[in-house]
Amino acid sequence: MKLVDEVVPAADLIKTAKAWIATSGTAKAPWDIENFKLPGGPVYSKAGMMVFTPANALYRRETHDNYPAARAILQVVYEGLQLPFDLALRVESRWFAKILRSPEAAAMIRSLFISMQEINKGARRPAAVPAKKFKTIGVLGAGFMGAGIAYVSALAGLDVVLIDRDPETAAKGKAHSEKLMNEQVTRGRATPEARDAVLARITPTADFVALKDCDLVIEAVFEDRKVKEEVIARAQNVIGDAAIFGSNTSTLPITSLAESFKDRPRFVGIHFFSPVERMGLVEIILGKETGDVALAATLDYVRAIRKTPIVVNDSRGFYTSRVVGTYLREGHLMLADGVPPAMIENVGRMAGMPVGPLALNDEVAVDLAWKILKATEADLGAKAIEPRQKALLGEMVEKRGRYGRKNGKGFYDYPQSGPKRLWPGLADLQPKKLDPDTIDVAVLKARLIAVQALETARCIEEGVVTDMREADVGSILGFGFAPFTGGTISYIDGMGSKAFVALCNKLAKDHGDRFNPCKLLLDMAKKGDTFYRRFPPQGRKAVA
């Protein structure tokens, strides 16, 4: 790049400098030499216009104007190329100072740098418990989730016993790791020897006796209470008295699952996200009787596989599943309101989410959302669900057989060739249709984002989430909550509790009681309080 001419030992600095001056050294940088030409041509030229016009369009498409640094970079290059170099550097330094002081920078630095470092270094780990080094872990269930857990564990150097109902099914789970490692070899990111070493650590089997020497056993079978209780019973008959047992579940309460385990302090929830090899978060759920040893060991394991842990208390849906469920529901209700499906999806991305709510529902499975809704209604009654959401999901799953990406048809169609596209039949499921020109995009964005932040506040009020750092980091890594806000709690603190309560009240008046602010928020608004000040992170002083 010509920024540095040469790197030499300190003792040779003066000698080298003198030699450089005596031979070909010049005090002029390449861009200061007369007749210097910009490599890409001047800004106002054919070449320049072919760069800056599409670059601006790409910036809009990728950021929806949510990330001021990306815009500033384009601005700096555009302005700097038209100025003398020293003046261009001054322009750049001032833009940098402006961006550094922006709310987005403050929020992202706190959550994605400071808080993430603290969490990854064991901010929530019980200090009195000695560190645990794992040698062998067991994974019950060789499906997509279990196979992913086996892969990341073996990749971290752990031996894995991968169990399923028969040797053939277990072997298919190991084949998932082989496929992923082959891809790494093809891309030059791993050697064949490294691939073979990872695969050698995974032992597929149908024999539960193979679990006897495991330090940690993770159950990752089908999301059905009876199935989980059956494998828990079989596993606890063979595992050692010191082994930790973790249940990978996204919705079933850990406390109730632990009832079928003989030593409940050793039972913990370990919620992985799909696909395991790509998602960086693990949600650890504490049952009412989960002990510090189990928590510490689980945190050590998550650190060993190089993922970020958050620790939450037991509840229906825990934290991440519970909050992301509100995002899916809001997309469903917008559809019922008559908002065009494409508008719902586009506004979701404009608000900062990685995908729209309908696309996300397809990924997690529409029939799963239907099962969760029915289970919620059965346990808590009809008032706990939205009738319009029930009608939509019932129509999609029961009558149309549209389960999501897994069967190639959900809110989107998934042709064998070509990209996915919104299912045209969605229009037939809308009781009414709104004119998109009459819809306020800002209101749609607020509905999709505020409903998630509000549910997070409820989780804090109920004691499900106790650390604000984990609420923010978990929301970004777990379900892609708009990173530029710093996370669900930083979103509220960023606008102020009083302004957020006012927004919720307006949305509740126009769109329903689900937006009513909780008592904690009302009290905070009255006092002008923030979450980070009211609930300072453990081990740190209060943060404004």
Side-chain angles (χ1 to χ4, degrees):
M1 293 179 67
K2 305 293 185 183
L3 296 179
V4 175
D5 290 288
E6 192 174 351
V7 178
V8 298
D12 298 336
L13 184 62
I14 301 300
K15 180 178 68 175
T16 306
K18 288 182 177 179
W20 176 78
I21 292 170
T23 54
S24 59
T26 174
K28 286 189 175 182
W31 43 82
D32 290 328
I33 297 174
E34 191 176 354
N35 298 323
F36 169 75
K37 292 184 179 181
L38 293 169
V43 171
Y44 288 101
S45 67
K46 288 183 178 180
M49 288 299 99
M50 289 177 68
V51 170
F52 284 97
T53 303
N56 189 55
L58 287 170
Y59 156 75
R60 293 283 182 178
R61 185 190 72 184
E62 297 299 322
T63 72
H64 297 287
D65 219 13
N66 289 323
Y67 295 87
R71 178 172 182 158
I73 289 169
L74 284 177
Q75 188 79 27
V76 163
V77 175
Y78 178 81
E79 293 179 356
L81 291 178
Q82 300 177 71
L83 298 171
F85 196 80
D86 290 341
L87 184 55
L89 289 178
R90 189 186 305 175
V91 168
E92 181 174 347
S93 68
R94 290 183 178 179
W95 268 109
F96 179 79
K98 177 181 174 63
I99 296 303
L100 190 61
R101 294 171 59 84
S102 69
E104 293 84 357
M108 294 178 76
I109 289 170
R110 177 169 69 181
S111 294
L112 295 175
F113 182 69
I114 297 172
S115 293
M116 266 193 68
Q117 284 198 37
E118 291 172 347
I119 291 171
N120 285 329
K121 289 178 181 178
R124 292 296 307 277
R125 192 185 185 283
V129 181
K132 175 79 173 177
K133 288 189 177 180
F134 293 91
K135 184 178 185 303
T136 307
I137 73 158
V139 179
L140 307 179
F144 187 64
M145 186 65 75
I149 297 171
Y151 170 72
V152 297
S153 301
L155 198 63
L158 305 178
D159 292 330
V160 180
V161 175
L162 182 58
I163 291 183
D164 214 300
R165 61 181 179 271
D166 54 62
E168 293 75 21
T169 307
K172 287 181 181 178
K174 181 176 179 176
H176 177 71
S177 293
E178 184 174 11
K179 175 178 176 290
L180 293 174
M181 286 305 299
N182 282 336
E183 290 174 356
Q184 295 299 309
V185 172
T186 301
R187 294 171 183 169
R189 296 177 181 173
T191 64
E193 293 76 17
R195 173 196 60 201
D196 296 342
V198 169
L199 296 177
R201 297 186 192 112
I202 303 175
T203 303
T205 179
D207 188 1
F208 274 69
V209 175
L211 298 171
K212 62 183 178 64
D213 295 324
C214 291
D215 308 301
L216 169 70
V217 176
I218 301 173
E219 164 274 304
V221 299
F222 187 67
E223 192 80 348
D224 180 278
R225 181 179 296 277
K226 291 183 179 179
V227 176
K228 288 184 180 292
E229 289 176 348
E230 180 183 336
V231 298
I232 290 170
R234 293 186 64 184
Q236 71 176 337
N237 290 330
V238 295
I239 64 175
D241 292 337
I244 305 301
F245 193 96
S247 176
N248 175 65
T249 175
S250 57
T251 55
L252 298 175
I254 292 300
T255 301
S256 60
L257 286 176
E259 292 175 359
S260 57
F261 194 73
K262 59 186 177 184
D263 189 2
R264 295 172 190 172
R266 289 191 286 133
F267 195 98
V268 65
I270 308 178
H271 177 203
F272 286 86
F273 296 79
S274 182
V276 177
E277 63 274 7
R278 288 170 53 193
M279 299 297 285
L281 186 75
V282 176
E283 184 177 32
I284 299 172
I285 305 103
L286 302 179
K288 287 185 178 180
E289 298 182 61
T290 301
D292 280 355
V293 172
L295 171 59
T298 307
L299 286 167
D300 290 342
Y301 164 71
V302 173
R303 187 174 187 180
I305 61 174
R306 295 183 285 277
K307 294 193 181 292
T308 298
I310 62 170
V311 182
V312 303
N313 291 316
D314 199 13
S315 78
R316 177 180 292 274
F318 319 126
Y319 167 52
T320 54
S321 296
R322 175 173 165 177
V323 174
V324 78
T326 64
Y327 178 60
L328 302 183
R329 181 187 64 193
E330 205 59 32
H332 299 156
L333 296 181
M334 286 180 178
L335 200 62
D337 288 341
V339 180
M343 193 173 193
I344 297 171
E345 296 295 86
N346 289 333
V347 169
R349 292 190 293 272
M350 289 168 65
M353 299 297 289
V355 294
L358 305 181
L360 182 58
N361 199 171
D362 272 6
E363 295 296 331
V364 301
V366 182
D367 61 328
L368 177 60
W370 174 235
K371 290 175 183 176
I372 292 172
L373 184 144
K374 289 194 297 182
T376 302
E377 183 179 29
D379 292 347
L380 303 179
K383 291 184 178 180
I385 65 165
E386 283 279 354
R388 292 180 297 161
Q389 185 186 30
K390 180 181 178 181
L392 174 65
L393 291 178
E395 179 75 25
M396 290 282 291
V397 176
E398 300 288 351
K399 296 182 181 179
R400 308 290 182 117
R402 303 189 70 88
Y403 303 153
R405 180 183 279 276
K406 67 181 182 180
N407 78 331
K409 51 183 183 178
F411 290 101
Y412 284 76
D413 283 326
Y414 298 87
Q416 290 186 348
S417 60
K420 68 182 182 182
R421 53 178 178 264
L422 279 163
W423 175 44
L426 286 176
D428 298 332
L429 304 186
Q430 293 183 290
K432 59 180 179 179
K433 297 178 180 61
L434 299 178
D435 179 355
D437 290 336
T438 66
I439 301 172
D440 190 336
V441 170
V443 172
L444 295 184
K445 289 168 66 174
R447 285 174 62 178
L448 291 171
I449 293 296
V451 74
Q452 298 178 71
L454 176 56
E455 193 65 23
T456 301
R458 292 183 181 127
C459 287
I460 293 168
E461 182 179 66
E462 296 168 20
V464 177
V465 178
T466 58
D467 192 309
M468 303 307 102
R469 296 170 297 185
E470 293 179 319
D472 276 341
V473 172
S475 66
I476 295 172
L477 297 188
F479 48 90
F481 186 85
F484 68 90
T485 67
T488 47
I489 289 304
S490 287
Y491 171 76
I492 298 174
D493 280 359
M495 73 167 63
S497 52
K498 186 175 181 180
F500 183 72
V501 165
L503 173 62
C504 289
N505 285 332
K506 179 70 167 62
L507 291 172
K509 179 182 176 182
D510 295 339
H511 301 285
D513 293 343
R514 64 187 179 280
F515 287 104
N516 283 331
C518 58
K519 290 182 180 179
L520 172 62
L521 278 170
L522 292 173
D523 184 63
M524 289 176 61
K526 184 178 180 181
K527 298 175 180 177
D529 214 348
T530 68
F531 278 98
Y532 273 85
R533 186 164 51 219
R534 186 159 181 155
F535 305 99
Q538 296 179 21
R540 258 210 280 136
K541 295 180 180 179
V543 179

